[in-house]
Amino acid sequence: MGFLRKMGINEHNVSVMQRLYKGQQASVRVEGSLLDWFAIKKGVRQGCLISPVSFNCYSEYIMRESADDLTLIGVTFSGRTMNNLRYADDILLIAQSPRALQTLLDKVVAVSGEYGLEINTKKTKVMAIIPQKEHIAIICQGKELEQAETFKYLGAIITDNGDCSKEIQARLGAARGASLDSRLFAERQVLTCQG
């Protein structure tokens, strides 16, 4: 909980969270029987309203301590260099070369490890957005990451050649589907009113 203090969370709120999580135990139910209780030493409570906020503070602190320190890596927009985009547990690392990306990823992995988090290499992909296809080898926790040609980030389709046509087609398809759904709903309402 020390990271909360470093993030500027007031002592009263830190104390409340410590009491909430202190001494947590869980058990697993198998075929109707509870197994032995065990202590929970990491993680947040599922379904707890504080859990998303706690996790966001935790991941924000890790990113500030890792990626935000590497200000020379990234791309510059309006005079500000950015090397990552974050939304909850979706993190996008940005670099201009494979070497810079590897440095950035290594730092994030190291700092995450210091706080008990690991990167899920099965869900982590790498993409090079360049005119010509090129294989780039990025290693995370001893495993080479899969190189993706497309991926979805916060609902938007990103392609390795920077082409927006797949995103446009997906949005048009969603709009057509929504339009059809609304027409069907309106027709059902008319039928219901007349019946």
Side-chain angles (χ1 to χ4, degrees):
M1 295 283 173
F3 75 93
L4 290 172
R5 289 182 187 93
K6 291 178 183 177
M7 292 282 296
I9 307 296
N10 72 46
E11 192 59 38
H12 173 73
N13 290 335
V14 172
S15 177
V16 167
M17 289 185 72
Q18 282 178 319
R19 286 193 304 261
L20 178 68
Y21 284 96
K22 185 177 182 180
Q24 282 192 101
Q25 291 189 327
S27 179
V28 177
R29 184 180 308 271
V30 177
E31 295 180 3
S33 298
L34 284 178
L35 300 180
D36 292 338
W37 288 83
F38 56 91
I40 298 175
K41 297 177 182 171
K42 290 185 194 178
V44 294
R45 290 183 175 182
Q46 294 290 46
C48 176
L49 295 176
I50 296 174
S51 295
V53 175
S54 176
F55 178 80
N56 284 345
C57 286
Y58 199 60
S59 63
E60 177 68 20
Y61 182 74
I62 288 169
M63 293 305 293
R64 283 184 187 180
E65 202 171 294
S66 57
D68 290 358
D69 283 349
L70 298 173
T71 57
L72 298 177
I73 295 176
V75 293
T76 303
F77 296 101
S78 300
R80 181 172 178 208
T81 302
M82 296 173 53
N83 60 19
N84 68 85
L85 297 174
R86 307 186 289 260
Y87 182 80
D89 64 344
D90 287 331
I91 300 170
L92 183 71
L93 299 179
I94 305 166
Q96 290 188 346
S97 71
R99 181 183 223 169
L101 181 59
Q102 187 68 63
T103 300
L104 182 58
L105 179 60
D106 290 346
K107 178 80 173 185
V108 171
V109 168
V111 173
S112 296
E114 290 172 20
Y115 292 97
L117 293 179
E118 289 184 16
I119 308 298
N120 184 339
T121 55
K122 292 178 182 158
K123 291 184 176 181
T124 304
K125 310 277 187 264
V126 65
M127 177 183 282
I129 301 176
I130 50 179
Q132 312 251 328
K133 289 203 183 293
E134 175 185 329
H135 175 75
I136 58 171
I138 301 295
I139 308 300
C140 181
Q141 298 166 169
K143 296 182 179 107
E144 183 174 340
L145 297 177
E146 177 187 337
Q147 186 166 345
E149 293 181 8
T150 65
F151 77 97
K152 217 172 205 183
Y153 184 71
L154 302 180
I157 299 171
I158 300 171
T159 63
D160 63 355
N161 62 3
D163 181 20
C164 298
S165 62
K166 287 185 181 182
E167 173 64 14
I168 292 167
Q169 290 303 317
R171 301 247 176 198
L172 288 172
R176 278 189 214 104
S179 175
L180 179 61
D181 287 347
S182 66
R183 275 186 270 150
L184 289 173
F185 177 74
E187 287 173 13
R188 283 191 197 118
Q189 292 295 5
V190 170
L191 291 174
T192 305
C193 292
Q194 292 176 352

